Amino acid sequence: MTHSHAFLDTARRVIATEADALRQLGEGLDGDFDKAVETMLSAKGRIIVSGMGKSGHIARKIAATLASTGTPAHFVHPAEASHGDLGMMAQGDVALVLSNSGETPELADVIAYTRRFNIPMIGVASRPGSTLIKQSDVGLILPPAEEACGSGIVPTSSTTMTLALGDALAIALMEHRRFTPEHFREFHPGGKLGAQLSRVSDLMHKENALPLVSEDTSMADALLEISQKGFGVVGVTDANGALAGIITDGDLRRHMDGLLDHSAREVMTRAPKTIPPEALAEEAVALMNARKITCVFVIDPQSDGAPLGLLHIHDCLRVGLG
């Protein structure tokens, strides 16, 4: 057997072991999971997530996932809790404490603090009789699944199960709150995911930046507006201020002969494609790609048709879309 085959065999064994652990976790969930979700929903403050070592890394991720899905949360390091960080926990909060053994000594101060100040505590551990589970208001027990390292020394299956359990709690809370992609963007404005959830209204150019002329405007003045605003297009509005048409470089080429003798109304393409301000910017990118255009006017379908803004493909590319 070559080394590469041995490595692949190891990888598949590890993944199969952890997948089996997740299956056991899912099958073993009971009413205590419901109690944990209800306890977290009742929090008037935040969810304080704590854990030591590998459990601490998982705790940080769970806190981040909760916070970005509408459940205010932050991580408190148990070793630093004794040195002032316990002040980050207050009545109205709920503690979510992770420890595979349930006997992690560094958690003692966190556990004692929750008991002293009547802060509800949800414990996650693999031993039902452990100190953490005994002290918890709600105990979530990890099944006795085999660690993927084979020797039981390296936290692998146990941390994977804890991570999945945290995701399950976060999504249960999110669904109960009817948390939407738009909400997610408010909690998670940065990065590629935030960009995908940007609204057209967040990126569009508006007010004085809009290239607009009336239908009666001469093409000499329309060309000046195109040049000054720098988008390569101009919108044409009717007597009521509604968008009646658009003039693009294609329209200019089609009317090249005697162009300056025409009005904007005579050159424009009527009823141009528009997009509402509340649409996701990704929808605008799809529209522009499908129509092979570089910008689109923004109009509220509930309004009188007046242009609110203009979105250029470069605006979308700038935030990582496209």
Side-chain angles (χ1 to χ4, degrees), residues 256-277:
M256 190 64 75
D257 289 340
L259 177 66
L260 298 182
D261 297 329
H262 290 292
S263 67
R265 180 192 290 109
E266 294 166 332
V267 175
M268 72 182 188
T269 296
R270 294 184 177 277
K273 196 68 180 171
T274 61
I275 196 159

Side-chain angles (χ1 to χ4, degrees), residues 29-43:
L29 291 179
D30 56 19
D32 285 330
F33 182 85
D34 288 335
K35 286 183 195 171
V37 174
E38 286 161 7
T39 301
M40 294 167 86
L41 278 172
S42 70

Side-chain angles (χ1 to χ4, degrees), residues 28-104:
L29 291 179
D30 56 19
D32 285 330
F33 182 85
D34 288 335
K35 286 183 195 171
V37 174
E38 286 161 7
T39 301
M40 294 167 86
L41 278 172
S42 70
K44 292 181 173 58
R46 292 163 296 185
I47 309 301
I48 309 300
V49 194
S50 192
M52 193 68 193
K54 303 289 191 304
S55 292
H57 294 304
I58 300 299
R60 287 181 190 276
K61 191 275 177 186
I62 292 173
T65 300
L66 287 167
S68 68
T69 52
T71 300
H74 69 239
F75 170 77
V76 170
H77 194 294
E80 294 166 5
S82 316
H83 302 282
D85 275 8
L86 281 174
M88 295 168 71
M89 206 184 309
Q91 286 184 324
D93 292 343
V94 168
L96 175 63
V97 181
L98 318 177
S99 167
N100 188 36
S101 68
E103 301 294 347
T104 307

